[in-house]
Amino acid sequence: QVQLVESGGGLVQSGGSLRLSCAASGSIFSINVMGWYRQAPGKQRELVAVATSGGSQNYADSVKGRFSISRDYAKNTVDLQMNSLKPEDTAVYYCYAVITTTQHRGTTFAYWGQGTQVTVSS
C-alpha cells in the first residue's frame, strides 16, 4: 500500500535543465533509500542516483557532476536536479524507494513510480 508519484518530466534542449520530483505515500514505516533509475528504449533499466538514510549519495558515472539528488526526510520526497542535459539522457525516469511498511515491519521492499519521460533534443 505504497505509492510513488513522480512529476517534472518533459522536453528540453541539450544543455538545459530539468527537475524531477517524487513523493512517497501510504503505509510507510521507514524509507531506507530513495532514488532514481532510468530506462531508454532497448536498454536495461539503470541506476541514476540514490540517497540513503545516512545522507550518502551515489551517482552513475554518466551523470556525475551534472545531476544532484535531494531527499526530504520529513516529506518522504526526493528530487533529481538535472543540469547540462545531453541527448543520451533521454529515457523514462523512475522513482525508486526501499521501504519498510507498517504491515511488514522488519522487511524491506523496493517500490517504483510510474515513470516520467525525459527527452533531450540536440
Side-chain angles (χ1 to χ4, degrees):
Q1 194 73 305
V2 172
Q3 289 185 324
L4 303 179
V5 180
E6 301 153 316
S7 62
L11 175 65
V12 65
Q13 290 186 338
S14 180
S17 298
L18 213 57
R19 188 176 185 89
L20 306 182
S21 298
C22 174
S25 62
S27 301
I28 298 172
F29 181 76
S30 64
I31 300 179
N32 301 87
V33 176
M34 295 194 78
W36 295 89
Y37 282 69
R38 68 186 181 187
Q39 187 168 24
K43 299 183 65 177
Q44 292 188 174
R45 188 174 300 184
E46 64 177 354
L47 173 70
V48 178
V50 295
T52 69
S53 297
S56 64
Q57 300 176 351
N58 290 291
Y59 297 91
D61 288 340
S62 59
V63 307
K64 287 181 179 177
R66 300 188 298 118
F67 291 11
S68 179
I69 189 168
S70 301
R71 180 177 169 184
D72 189 321
Y73 295 88
K75 296 182 178 180
N76 290 334
T77 61
V78 64
D79 291 352
L80 183 68
Q81 179 66 45
M82 303 183 294
N83 299 323
S84 301
L85 283 162
K86 305 174 181 179
E88 49 263 48
D89 295 319
T90 296
V92 177
Y93 284 70
Y94 296 91
C95 183
Y96 165 84
V98 178
I99 296 173
T100 299
T101 64
T102 56
Q103 303 96 318
H104 303 284
R105 302 175 185 85
T107 62
T108 62
F109 197 81
Y111 294 87
W112 298 90
Q114 79 282 2
T116 183
Q117 178 70 47
V118 172
T119 302
V120 184
S121 62
S122 60

